[in-house]
Amino acid sequence: MTESPFRAKTAPTTSMNGATRLPARRDDATTPRQDETPASAAAGQADPHVPAQRQDEPHEPAHDDVAASGVPFDMDADFPDFLGQFVDWQTPDARPAQQTTTQQAEVSPVEDGAPQARTIASPQLLRPRPLEPTSGPRRWVHAMTGGLVNLGPSAAQLREQERMARIQRPLRGAHVTTYLCLKGGITKTTTCIGTALTAAQYRPEAVVAGDFNPDAGDLAERVTGREGLAGVNQLAQHVDSVTSIGDLSRYLYSEGRLTVLPGEPDPKLGESLTSAQFNAVIEILSSYYSSIHVDAGTGITHPIMPGILARTDTLVVPAAYSITGAKRAYETLAWLRSNGFGRLASSAIVALTERDLVSREVDKNAVLAMFEGIPVVKVPADRHLADGAQVHLEQMQPRTREAFAEIAALIADRYPA
C-alpha cells in the first residue's frame, strides 16, 4: 500500500536509559550541525514528499510542516502576544483578597506623586419606588386596588415628612432650649413637655428636660405621674461626684424615651439655686445629653436667670390670645433686647396657645402683628392638656401634636451646621 504524501510524519524519538528523548528545538533542527548533513542534500536529490520551495521567499513552515518535520513550533516566536497576557497571572492562593463591599477604591495620581483613593459609586440597580399614601382617600384607593393605583402622598403627608426630616437634623454638641415668659399660667410647662416628648420620639439621641423653676415646678410630675420627685438641688450639691451616667441617673427619671430632672418641690430650697449651680448642672447634663430642654421660672430677675440666659441657645416664649398673655410675651422679648440678650430675642419662637374661652373683643390678627418677624406656632386648645394631669403625646389631638412637632422642627433648624 502506497503511503499518502499528505500524511504527517511522526518525529523520531530515541530511547535513552528508558526515557524518551524529545526532538530538538526548531532552531537546532533547521540549522544542520557541522558534523551532520541531510541525506537528501548529500545525495543531491529532493524529497518527493516535500513541495519545492521558491528561491526568492523565506521558508516559514506552517503547523503541518512542523508536525511533518517532527519539530515542535516555538510559542515565543510564533505567538508573541499569546503568553504576554498571562504575565501577571497568579494562582488562586496567591491572588490578593478581593474587596467584598459594593464600592472599590481606584488609585489616581496626585500632584505630590502620592496615590489617592477615589471611590467608584455602585450603579443603582433598583428602580425608585414611588411614595405610598398613608392616610385619607388616597390610602383607601391604594389598598382597594392592591397597590395598582397609587395616587401618591397628599400635600399634608409631604409636609409631615419634611417636618420629620427637620426634627431629625444631626446635632453636634449640646443644644439648650429654654421656655421662658414673664407670666405664669399660660402653658409654659405644657409647651416644654409637649416639645420635649416630640423631640424624644423622633430624634436619635436621648433628650432630657429639666425643671429649673424656683417656684415648685411640676414638670416631672406631669411627665411621670409621680408626686414629690426632687433632683435638681441634690444634683447641684453633688455634681463633683458624678463621673458616669450611672451616677447621674440617681437624680433622673424617665417616661418613655424622655428623661426628666425634677425640680425642687420646696419653694424655699428652690429659691437657693444660683447661676453657678445651674451652670454646673448644665455642664454635667451636656456631657451625656445633646438635646436639653429647660423649664425656667417667671422671675426674670431671679439669681438663677443670668446663668440660664447665658447658656440658652434657643428661646421658646409661650403666649396666649388673651390680652395679658400676649402682652407678657411681647414684654419678655423687649426685655431681652434691652438687656444684652438680643440674639435670643431675634431667634426666639413664640408658641401661641389658643383658649376655649376667648373674648370676641380680642383681635387675633393684632396679637399676631405684635410678633412680626418672629415665627409663631399656634397650639390649639386640647382637653387632654387642660386638666394639668400627666401628659401623653398619643392622647393629644392630631393638630396639637402637629403644633409641637413644628416647634421641635424650628428648634432643630437652629442647630449649628
Side-chain angles (χ1 to χ4, degrees), residues 155-169 198 202-203 377 398-410 412-413:
Q157 182 180 343
L158 292 177
R159 288 195 302 269
E160 181 181 359
Q161 292 177 347
E162 185 267 342
R163 184 183 297 115
M164 290 300 105
R166 291 165 56 201
I167 294 176
Q168 297 170 354
R169 180 181 177 182
T198 303
Y202 296 107
R203 289 202 58 80
V377 179
R399 291 180 57 243
T400 308
R401 293 196 300 267
E402 182 179 352
F404 288 135
E406 181 61 26
I407 297 175
L410 288 171
D413 291 343

Side-chain angles (χ1 to χ4, degrees), residues 9-13 23 66-72:
K9 296 181 179 180
T10 59
T13 58
V66 175
S69 61
V71 180

Side-chain angles (χ1 to χ4, degrees), residues 61-328:
H63 180 70
D64 292 341
D65 297 333
V66 175
S69 61
V71 180
F73 65 90
D74 190 344
M75 180 68 74
D76 295 336
D78 294 340
F79 301 94
D81 298 331
F82 180 74
L83 294 178
Q85 59 183 324
F86 296 101
V87 171
D88 297 331
W89 185 84
Q90 296 177 344
T91 60
D93 295 336
R95 295 176 185 174
Q98 299 292 330
Q99 298 183 8
T100 58
T101 59
T102 58
Q103 295 183 349
Q104 297 182 353
E106 179 183 352
V107 177
S108 59
V110 294
E111 295 181 359
D112 297 337
Q116 183 180 12
R118 183 172 68 238
T119 301
I120 302 177
S122 300
Q124 182 66 33
L125 302 179
L126 297 177
R127 297 187 183 95
R129 295 183 59 185
L131 296 177
E132 299 178 358
T134 58
S135 61
R138 295 169 179 260
R139 181 178 180 272
W140 181 83
V141 172
H142 185 270
M144 292 297 294
T145 60
L148 296 178
V149 178
N150 184 3
L151 301 178
S154 62
Q157 182 180 343
L158 292 177
R159 288 195 302 269
E160 181 181 359
Q161 292 177 347
E162 185 267 342
R163 184 183 297 115
M164 290 300 105
R166 291 165 56 201
I167 294 176
Q168 297 170 354
R169 180 181 177 182
L171 173 59
R172 299 174 179 85
H175 192 91
V176 179
T177 303
T178 299
Y179 301 78
L180 172 66
C181 186
L182 293 178
K183 184 183 185 306
I186 54 173
T187 67
K188 175 177 58 64
T189 299
T190 301
T191 303
C192 177
I193 294 174
T195 307
L197 284 172
T198 303
Q201 181 176 5
Y202 296 107
R203 289 202 58 80
E205 75 275 354
V207 178
V208 62
D211 190 347
F212 293 92
N213 188 349
D215 299 325
D218 59 348
L219 181 142
E221 179 180 346
R222 298 194 63 189
V223 172
T224 65
R226 300 170 58 181
E227 300 180 0
L229 298 179
V232 62
N233 278 61
Q234 290 86 343
L235 177 58
Q237 296 172 6
H238 303 89
V239 67
D240 294 335
S241 63
V242 177
T243 59
S244 65
I245 187 63
D247 297 336
L248 182 60
S249 63
R250 293 182 297 176
Y251 308 96
L252 304 177
Y253 298 86
S254 298
E255 182 66 28
R257 295 197 60 190
L258 178 62
T259 302
V260 294
L261 173 63
E264 180 53 57
D266 188 348
K268 294 182 179 180
L269 297 178
E271 289 285 344
S272 63
L273 203 62
T274 64
S275 291
Q277 290 176 319
F278 173 82
N279 287 330
V281 171
I282 290 297
E283 194 68 28
I284 196 65
L285 286 177
S286 61
S287 299
Y288 302 97
Y289 295 90
S290 299
S291 182
I292 303 173
H293 297 255
V294 173
D295 182 13
T298 58
I300 204 166
T301 60
H302 190 276
I304 196 178
M305 194 58 64
I308 292 178
L309 296 177
R311 294 299 299 265
T312 297
D313 298 301
T314 298
L315 184 68
V316 177
V317 180
Y321 275 119
S322 63
I323 297 177
T324 303
K327 282 187 175 181
R328 291 297 178 267

